[in-house]
Amino acid sequence: MNPIANQIIYEDNHLIALNKLPGQIVQGDKTGDTPLVELVKSFIKERDAKPGNVFCGVIHRLDRPVSGVVIFAKTSKALTRMNELVQSRDFHKTYLAVVKQQPPSPQGHLEDYLLRNEKLNKSFVTRDTSQPGAKLAKLDYRLLAASRGGYHLLEVELHTGRHHQIRCQLAHMGCPIKGDLKYGAARSNPDASISLHAYRLAFEHPVRHEQVTILAPHPFEMFAGIPDSNE
């Protein structure tokens, strides 16, 4: 069986969602590695015996070391409408993050201005909000479980979509993500992943106009069963 089949967590005539593995890239980059979008095209072409080209549109991306739900459009109509949802912030993403340090409060709202350094492929918090390129980044976090093996599980809801936003803002708060050497973690994870997982995606279906919620089970063994999939 094509391994992509095991990653599919939602599919209809218009959309297909996968539980992305750490190390997979969503879209092509300078590494030249085959991106997930091309693997999905090949899978659909083979499974459905399509004679021509297969359409698969990228709606959003996840960083290479991040796991979790990523969704693609199977039609140009769906891609256009999903892009509109992303632009209007009606595309709601919830993440789970494992951090070493306990946050200063059980829940909170973070607002920072971020600057992206293209050369370093890294974002930094800046206090100079007038600096060219400084962009407002907003998220909410909630402590779900504390001190299992010395680590803590946070739920993070994004309100903006900045480069490395969760990684940068949590590190700035004093809570770098487990395995994320770039943002201050003490050591890497054995598989080169970082312990950040896109857990939930919620949006209005672009054609049926029904509310859709897609959950991707997280891989963090120390927090098995948290959160419950029915949350």
Side-chain angles (χ1 to χ4, degrees):
M1 178 182 290
N2 191 311
I4 291 297
N6 296 323
Q7 293 182 243
I8 297 172
I9 50 178
Y10 176 90
E11 186 177 10
D12 60 27
N13 291 334
H14 311 280
L15 302 168
I16 182 169
L18 280 72
N19 190 357
K20 174 186 156 336
L21 303 176
Q24 290 180 320
I25 54 173
V26 174
Q27 210 168 12
D29 64 9
K30 61 184 179 183
T31 66
D33 294 341
T34 304
L36 202 51
V37 63
E38 295 300 329
L39 295 176
V40 171
K41 284 182 183 179
S42 297
F43 168 74
I44 293 174
K45 183 177 180 64
E46 178 183 348
R47 183 195 63 184
D48 300 344
K50 288 185 173 290
N53 292 329
V54 171
F55 183 90
C56 187
V58 175
I59 298 167
H60 65 122
R61 288 172 290 277
L62 295 177
D63 293 343
R64 185 167 196 155
V66 177
S67 60
V69 58
V70 62
I71 192 164
F72 300 95
K74 294 169 66 177
T75 66
S76 57
K77 178 181 179 181
L79 179 62
T80 298
R81 293 187 178 179
M82 291 297 288
N83 284 339
E84 290 170 355
L85 292 181
V86 172
Q87 291 297 319
S88 63
R89 306 294 183 198
D90 292 322
F91 188 74
H92 305 289
K93 294 181 282 187
T94 305
Y95 291 75
L96 299 176
V98 178
V99 299
K100 182 69 174 177
Q101 302 299 325
Q102 185 164 332
S105 60
Q107 58 186 26
H109 177 77
L110 301 181
E111 291 196 12
D112 299 293
Y113 278 85
L114 303 188
L115 274 175
R116 179 177 181 177
N117 185 310
E118 296 277 358
K119 187 175 181 179
L120 297 177
N121 189 31
K122 187 175 179 179
S123 289
F124 298 86
V125 172
T126 178
R127 292 185 179 181
D128 182 2
T129 60
S130 64
Q131 196 167 352
K135 295 182 178 179
L136 179 62
K138 299 189 289 184
L139 63 77
D140 291 316
Y141 73 86
R142 179 167 66 103
L143 179 63
L144 294 183
S147 195
R148 292 199 175 189
Y151 291 97
H152 305 79
L153 182 67
L154 305 184
E155 179 184 78
V156 179
E157 184 175 354
L158 277 179
H159 299 297
T160 52
R162 308 306 183 198
H163 177 256
H164 291 181
Q165 179 180 336
I166 297 175
R167 300 166 66 180
C168 182
Q169 286 191 277
L170 291 187
H172 184 70
M173 184 175 67
C175 300
I177 294 168
K178 181 177 180 291
D180 197 358
L181 295 178
K182 180 168 283 191
Y183 287 94
R187 59 183 60 87
S188 60
N189 289 339
D191 61 357
S193 70
I194 65 173
S195 297
L196 179 63
H197 179 77
Y199 168 66
R200 182 191 295 117
L201 192 60
F203 56 93
E204 182 184 280
H205 194 280
V207 178
R208 299 198 306 269
H209 302 292
E210 302 167 347
Q211 190 66 19
V212 175
T213 300
I214 303 171
L215 300 178
H218 71 75
F220 310 138
E221 293 182 3
M222 70 181 77
F223 294 105
I226 304 173
D228 186 89
S229 60
N230 293 320
E231 280 195 10

